[in-house]
Amino acid sequence: MEHEEYAQHDAVGLAELVRTGQSTPAELLRAARERMAAVNDRINAIVVDVDPPDDASTDGPFAGVPFLVKDLGQDVRHYPTSGGSRSLSTLPATEHATVVQRWLDAGLVIFGKTNTPEFGAKGITEPELYGPARNPWNTDHTPGGSSGGAAAAVAAGIVPCAGASDGGGSIRIPASACGLFGLKATRGLVPAGPAQGEPLGGTATHGVISRSVRDSAAMLDLLAGAIPSSPYLPRMAEGSYADAALREPGRLRIAVCTASAINPDPDPEATAATTAAAELLEQLGHDVEVLDVQPFDDATLAKDFLTSWFVYCAFSVDEAKRLTGSGDGGFEADTLTMAALGRATSPVDFVRSLENRHAHVRRLAEFHETRDLLLTPTTATAPPRIGAFDAPLPVRLAQKALLTARSASVLRLTPIVETMISQNLGWVPYTQLANLTGRPAMTVPLHWTAAGLPIGVQLVGRLGADAQLLSLAGQLEDAQPWADRRPTL
């Protein structure tokens, strides 16, 4: 099968070719690997080759469809899950992650693992271990993060859909940067297991990045549902998510807001993307209301997010050291800096950041009493250039000082804190809301900048509104199709 024919199909379509005898799993895998050989040296999306596990189903709904998993949290037995870190790059997983097993049970053919920043801790994908992933729309720019390799691989046509995860926007940010669709599911809907219960204290979830809405919907049907070790029994949608993506969403009340306390001056392209999406939604019959300020305290939310993020980073570093015996040399300077900030955080401040999540949940729940969805830009800017967030010399010197600091008061006096906030959230200030509140959110690829770079729009729904979001996504996809808009590599 030639690439042009292969690239015309999404994962559902490829599965249909196999099911009807129009193609074979071997033919599809060969097409995927040939495309990988042709483009991966330019985008650095796939960093680990995997021999397809022999326990994949041969009659599942996606039997024979090539697939990639993220090199973070999506363990494939016998292969290391590096999380983009030198410290973990040689430690093989002893069992499949739950989501990986479900993908294998569906018949997906896993043949590689995708690039991610160290511990998924940035909105860009530039790990020292593997080097930067690059955006297929312009390889001088980032594909976003932390699922940047996954998004780059899908945008480049290696696979139509790839495994991803989202702890602060890590599905939505790269999907936006690469002109793709991405849904972060409601908290607890997709299990982590079996090694983890709730990654990042429940803020992170697994999922996919895809070219088509129906692929993401069908994948959610595969992934949703508790396992015996899950902390919650999630409420499942009535009917399938695949069916929901085909239904009309009805007339929705949608509030739109581009304001951000973290980035008070978003790129005009982000504003234009959101304005155009609001106009399209009105044309489709929805009620659209413009807000001057966000319906929640986004400045406090950002602080709460980063407080807990830094503490979890400290845990990740310590856990990697425990498992591997690695010293500080196994980690990047930025990671060690975030870990130092986490260790310097008082237990009371950490618990306060966790307890504050309920205040954010209440504010968003009050908003959803009178509106169905919140529309924002997915990112505040178009995808930045590779290396845009490399630390300048003064910051590197401050990092060294931080690593020997022992008190939070010393840390707060250093300029590195503001720099870390800017690097982590400055271009992505909108996505953390859904993670801390556990609400579902999606990014839809409706806008390309004058320079030809994608920038998506985000919609955040109330708890359990995954099916509603997919219904609206399907409507938007029909109204303004994007699947045939592909980068030239």
Side-chain angles (χ1 to χ4, degrees), residues 37-87:
V39 301
N40 197 53
D41 62 340
R42 285 176 278 166
I43 61 173
N44 197 30
I46 301 169
V47 293
V48 176
D49 290 333
V50 172
D51 292 326
D54 56 12
D55 52 348
S57 170
T58 58
D59 59 359
F62 285 97
V65 176
F67 195 69
L68 299 166
V69 298
K70 184 177 178 180
D71 195 26
L72 175 69
Q74 296 179 358
D75 297 344
V76 177
R77 188 171 55 240
H78 305 317
Y79 288 86
T81 300
S82 75
S85 178
R86 291 185 296 269
S87 65

Side-chain angles (χ1 to χ4, degrees), residues 70 72-74 146-147 163-167 169-172 204-208:
K70 184 177 178 180
L72 175 69
Q74 296 179 358
S146 65
S147 305
S165 59
D166 194 317
S170 291
I171 286 175
R172 290 158 289 153
T205 187
H206 293 287
V208 298

